[in-house]
């Protein structure tokens, strides 16, 4: 078994590699990453990439054909991974997230890869409505990032076949500790705010819905997708990945953090314009298809995991939005130093 994992050097990647290393001890794991956040290590005794057998440093926009040779399965995580970067680099986001993803899948299919697991996102549901979104609900992507996820699924679907299974895992918003922590994700941000300033400021009226999932549970889902029976239908599967009872309103998430970290004050901007990115999601299909791989790490446990992780590194940076924990800041910092060009390609400096 040879598994190619793109984007393995980001926030979710280390948990995925650790999980696959444990599930497939004999497998050859191959990582491929451009390395934007390579030095944004949180606190780990050794480089997370030591768990892969081969690590490529490369850009998914310029993949050599042979990178998929002999590969049985691809786990595709590499992407511009949030709205702020997507808004600033719209065309680059479409290039990396959409066009390069479909090209990678085409190469993989030609090379005889049997399973392609794609890290999609529930953010494609976009705007609030009363009912929870199922996989058949209308998609309403509101940002370049969310659009890139929709376009990629649409590009992948026609490639799927009996011999090339495609699983698009539409993940909830990620949270939890990582060897390459991000604090530009809602729950992670709230915990860091509570610890450093004792205050959470919600930039909306607090009512938007957001389902959450721990990175280890995302890895569990990827493991499930890889083990999906090759002979079973459908060839293309898009599935909401999370748990029904982990749909939360933003104010409830803030309240849970305040409960876990006593003394935290919450301010809600009651006059804020409605945050249109609000979605409650129906995870019934995932529950039915993957009963043994259901998410296990709930909200309070995620908060405790983040709290003890941040405390263990003596985290005190009240200005963490301008630090290595914020993906956009890292990229802008490297651009200012001339290391990345306007297309987010390494300049060679
Ligand atoms: N974090 C979330 O809440 C969440 C939710 C749903 C889906 N996802 C998806 O999961 C995947 C991983 O997310 P993450 O939170 O780990 O993001 P991340 O930004 O931490 O990691 C993304 C990785 O992709 C790499 N990458 C970016 N452009 C590349 C390119 N051109 N060539 C090669 N590598 C490239 C980066 O260097 C980075 O290591 C993404 O596809 C993201 O859209 C994330």
């Amino acid at each position: 078994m040879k598994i190619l994992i793109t984007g393995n050097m980001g926030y979710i990647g280390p948990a995925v590699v650790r999980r696959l290393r444990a599930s497939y001890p004999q497998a050859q794991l191959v990582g491929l990453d451009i390395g934007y956040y390579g030095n944004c290590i949180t606190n780990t005794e050794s480089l997370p990439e030591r768990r892969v057998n081969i690590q490529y440093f490369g850009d998914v926009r310029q993949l050599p054909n042979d990178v998929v040779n002999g590969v049985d399965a691809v786990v595709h995580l590499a992407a511009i991974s949030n709205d702020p970067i997507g808004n600033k680099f719209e065309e680059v986001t479409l290039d990396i997230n959409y066009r390069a993803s479909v090209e990678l899948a085409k190469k993989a299919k030609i090379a005889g890869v049997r399973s392609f697991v794609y890290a999609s996102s529930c953010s494609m549901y976009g705007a609030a409505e009363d009912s929870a979104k199922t996989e058949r609900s209308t998609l309403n992507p509101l940002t370049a990032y969310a659009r890139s996820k929709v376009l990629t699924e649409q590009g992948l679907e026609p490639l799927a076949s009996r011999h090339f299974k495609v699983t698009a895992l539409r993940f909830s918003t990620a949270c939890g500790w990582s060897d390459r922590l991000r604090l530009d994700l809602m729950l992670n941000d709230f915990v860091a705010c509570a610890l450093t300033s004792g205050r959470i400021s919600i930039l909306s009226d607090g009512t938007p819905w957001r389902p959450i999932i721990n990175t280890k549970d995302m890895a569990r889902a990827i493991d499930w997708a890889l083990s999906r029976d090759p002979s079973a239908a459908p060839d293309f599967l898009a599935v909401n990945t999370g748990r029904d009872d982990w749909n939360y309103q933003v104010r409830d998430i803030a309240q849970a953090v305040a409960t876990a970290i006593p003394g935290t004050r919450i301010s809600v901007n009651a006059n804020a314009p409605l945050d249109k990115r609000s979605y409650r999601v129906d995870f019934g299909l995932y529950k039915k298809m993957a009963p043994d791989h259901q998410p296990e790490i709930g909200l309070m446990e995620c908060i405790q995991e983040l709290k003890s992780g941040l405390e263990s590194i003596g985290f005190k940076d009240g200005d963490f939005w301008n630090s290595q924990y914020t993906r956009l800041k890292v990229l802008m910092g490297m651009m200012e130093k001339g290391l990345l060009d306007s297309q987010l390609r390494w300049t060679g400096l």
Side-chain angles (χ1 to χ4, degrees), residues 7-13 32-37 58-61 76-81 96-97 119-122 145 149 171-174 180 182 185 218 327:
N8 64 304
M9 295 176 66
Y11 171 63
I12 295 162
L32 185 144
D33 201 297
I34 199 166
Y36 288 148
Y37 316 112
D59 189 330
V60 289
R61 290 169 290 186
H76 184 41
L77 305 173
I80 294 303
S81 59
I96 295 178
N97 291 18
S120 190
S121 167
C122 286
Y145 169 74
K149 294 285 167 184
F171 285 119
S172 304
T173 298
R180 287 199 179 82
R182 285 177 59 182
L185 294 161
M218 298 170 96
R327 293 298 187 238

Side-chain angles (χ1 to χ4, degrees), residues 1-5 28 30 68 70-76 108 112-117 226:
M1 178 92 162
K2 185 172 174 185
I3 306 172
L4 171 68
I5 306 147
Q28 188 173 37
V30 181
V68 281
V71 168
D72 299 290
V74 174
V75 176
H76 184 41
V113 170
R114 292 196 306 270
S115 174
F116 190 93
V117 179
L226 288 174

Side-chain angles (χ1 to χ4, degrees), residues 92-115:
V92 176
T93 298
L94 289 177
D95 271 344
I96 295 178
N97 291 18
Y98 161 47
R99 296 182 190 104
S101 297
V102 176
E103 280 310 306
L104 170 64
K106 284 182 183 163
K107 284 194 169 83
K109 183 175 177 177
I110 291 168
V113 170
R114 292 196 306 270
S115 174

Side-chain angles (χ1 to χ4, degrees), residues 9-31:
M9 295 176 66
Y11 171 63
I12 295 162
V16 172
V17 169
R18 197 179 279 117
R19 170 94 195 188
L20 298 185
R21 185 77 287 161
S23 296
Y24 304 95
Q26 305 306 325
Q28 188 173 37
L29 300 183
V30 181

